[in-house]
Amino acid sequence: MLSYFYCVTKYDPSDRDEHGSYTGQEDTASDHGEVEAAYLQAVAAFARDTGIDHLAVREPQVPSLAHFGVEPPVAGFGLDGLFPSGPADFHDGAEVPLDIGLELVRAMLRDNGAWCRLEVEDTFAVHVGWDQYLYISSSRPCAEALARTRELGLFPETMDASPYSFEDEEEGIQRPGDDDFWACLHRAVRDGVAGVLEENPLGGATRWHHLAVDTLSTVRAELAPRARLGVWPPLSPDVETVLGALPAEGLIEGVWLDDAGRILSAIADEDDFPELTARMSSAPAAALLPVSADERVPLFTAVMPDDDGVLRARWRTRPTPNDRHWALRHHQG
């Protein structure tokens, strides 16, 4: 278990007021230079002191509707060149060597867009927060790393816990995307109840899949490890009626089929509705989905388990009535 928690920053504690707010001259952006390098050396020192040389990516995410970082977003969200097979390797549970982990920390310090927790279960964790706050947790006190961090000109402070540790806020059993789920999906597609699969391989990223009985195995094989899934009804061929249901104002997501059989989507508000209408009007089939989490209710959901069938992903889907019914049957069984 992790027993030692530290906040590492470039902010001198003596430059804080009585409320703990920083009043010094340090910028909240990375300098892309010596200070940033000191942060990375500090992480490496704590990893070395803990005895780890690999890290697991947990709960990765990229910007979706908005980018709130101090610096402008970059192409590829800071992931370009970090993974042998490209950004698709940036997924929950991905194991990376320490040097790649440090590059992910660099991308987070620069607000490039990609964010994740980097962990070794019950041994080590590092997270980057707002304004160049770095949180490091270890199963060991890391006295040498603390001394090295101070030598680098940074300020490590002891904490009770990391504010970026994962906290499961949902109750109940998470439905896995196992054989039972895919058998249920097969029946729903066969009966014309389901026709679209929403895949969230990362927080903030969505891929859409058109479902047919004879393509389900192909879709399943293409899903990202530990992806979150949402099953939706088939798209409507009456696109004119779909577009006629656009609200007077507010955010909406348009989902449509193109001539190549791919499903595309776009989130738009009333200012963008003319462009969205132009893009969707010639589609073979389409649908409008609410953006609000309370209103956005698919038929049923799941999270993909690992290849051995174990569900190790910690993030969850928002349970639907069908999911609750499944959970009740699962509990009774």
Side-chain angles (χ1 to χ4, degrees), residues 74-106:
V74 300
F77 306 116
L79 299 172
D80 289 351
L82 294 188
F83 297 92
S85 300
D89 285 343
F90 184 59
H91 61 77
D92 189 79
E95 293 281 342
V96 298
L98 180 59
D99 60 336
I100 299 300
L102 294 177
E103 290 304 314
L104 287 170
V105 172
R106 186 196 304 276

Side-chain angles (χ1 to χ4, degrees), residues 70-190:
V70 176
E71 302 188 38
V74 300
F77 306 116
L79 299 172
D80 289 351
L82 294 188
F83 297 92
S85 300
D89 285 343
F90 184 59
H91 61 77
D92 189 79
E95 293 281 342
V96 298
L98 180 59
D99 60 336
I100 299 300
L102 294 177
E103 290 304 314
L104 287 170
V105 172
R106 186 196 304 276
M108 290 185 274
L109 288 170
R110 294 184 178 184
D111 285 323
N112 283 162
W115 188 90
C116 66
R117 298 175 177 88
L118 291 164
E119 302 179 3
V120 175
E121 187 175 5
D122 295 333
T123 303
F124 184 82
V126 56
H127 321 301
V128 177
W130 296 106
D131 299 336
Q132 306 287 291
Y133 280 73
L134 180 70
Y135 300 93
I136 301 176
S137 311
S138 177
S139 59
R140 303 178 184 178
C142 298
E144 292 184 10
L146 287 168
R148 176 58 178 154
T149 300
R150 296 186 182 99
E151 290 175 0
L152 291 165
L154 301 177
F155 301 92
E157 300 177 70
T158 303
M159 306 181 66
D160 292 331
S162 166
Y164 286 84
S165 296
F166 181 81
E167 293 186 11
D168 186 0
E169 298 178 355
E170 297 287 345
E171 297 181 357
I173 303 172
Q174 172 60 57
R175 187 174 191 173
D178 56 11
D179 290 344
D180 177 71
F181 168 85
W182 287 91
C184 180
L185 181 57
H186 183 278
R187 291 191 296 270
V189 173
R190 181 199 61 198

Side-chain angles (χ1 to χ4, degrees), residues 25-295:
Q25 300 301 311
E26 289 286 351
D27 195 349
T28 55
S30 173
D31 69 342
H32 294 221
E34 292 183 1
V35 177
E36 178 184 272
Y39 272 95
L40 300 183
Q41 291 175 59
V43 175
F46 275 95
R48 184 168 55 249
D49 232 0
T50 308
I52 60 102
D53 58 9
H54 280 70
L55 295 159
V57 172
R58 302 308 309 266
E59 294 82 43
Q61 62 187 53
V62 294
S64 53
L65 293 178
H67 174 74
F68 296 104
V70 176
E71 302 188 38
V74 300
F77 306 116
L79 299 172
D80 289 351
L82 294 188
F83 297 92
S85 300
D89 285 343
F90 184 59
H91 61 77
D92 189 79
E95 293 281 342
V96 298
L98 180 59
D99 60 336
I100 299 300
L102 294 177
E103 290 304 314
L104 287 170
V105 172
R106 186 196 304 276
M108 290 185 274
L109 288 170
R110 294 184 178 184
D111 285 323
N112 283 162
W115 188 90
C116 66
R117 298 175 177 88
L118 291 164
E119 302 179 3
V120 175
E121 187 175 5
D122 295 333
T123 303
F124 184 82
V126 56
H127 321 301
V128 177
W130 296 106
D131 299 336
Q132 306 287 291
Y133 280 73
L134 180 70
Y135 300 93
I136 301 176
S137 311
S138 177
S139 59
R140 303 178 184 178
C142 298
E144 292 184 10
L146 287 168
R148 176 58 178 154
T149 300
R150 296 186 182 99
E151 290 175 0
L152 291 165
L154 301 177
F155 301 92
E157 300 177 70
T158 303
M159 306 181 66
D160 292 331
S162 166
Y164 286 84
S165 296
F166 181 81
E167 293 186 11
D168 186 0
E169 298 178 355
E170 297 287 345
E171 297 181 357
I173 303 172
Q174 172 60 57
R175 187 174 191 173
D178 56 11
D179 290 344
D180 177 71
F181 168 85
W182 287 91
C184 180
L185 181 57
H186 183 278
R187 291 191 296 270
V189 173
R190 181 199 61 198
D191 296 342
V193 176
V196 176
L197 183 70
E198 179 183 9
E199 175 195 3
N200 298 123
L202 307 171
T206 300
R207 296 195 302 184
W208 295 92
H209 304 273
H210 183 233
L211 301 177
V213 169
D214 59 351
T215 63
L216 285 180
S217 59
T218 300
V219 170
R220 183 177 183 179
E222 293 176 348
L223 296 176
R226 302 186 182 181
R228 288 171 290 184
L229 309 177
V231 178
W232 294 92
L235 301 180
S236 171
D238 189 354
V239 178
E240 182 177 356
T241 298
V242 170
L243 292 174
L246 279 169
E249 60 182 15
L251 282 176
I252 200 76
E253 183 165 14
V255 181
W256 67 96
L257 191 67
D258 72 3
D259 292 334
R262 300 170 301 182
I263 296 184
L264 307 178
S265 72
I267 295 177
D269 62 14
E270 60 275 11
D271 294 333
D272 303 316
F273 286 170
E275 180 181 352
L276 181 65
T277 298
R279 296 178 67 184
M280 295 177 62
S281 59
S282 61
L288 297 177
L289 300 179
V291 175
S292 166
D294 290 336
E295 300 175 358

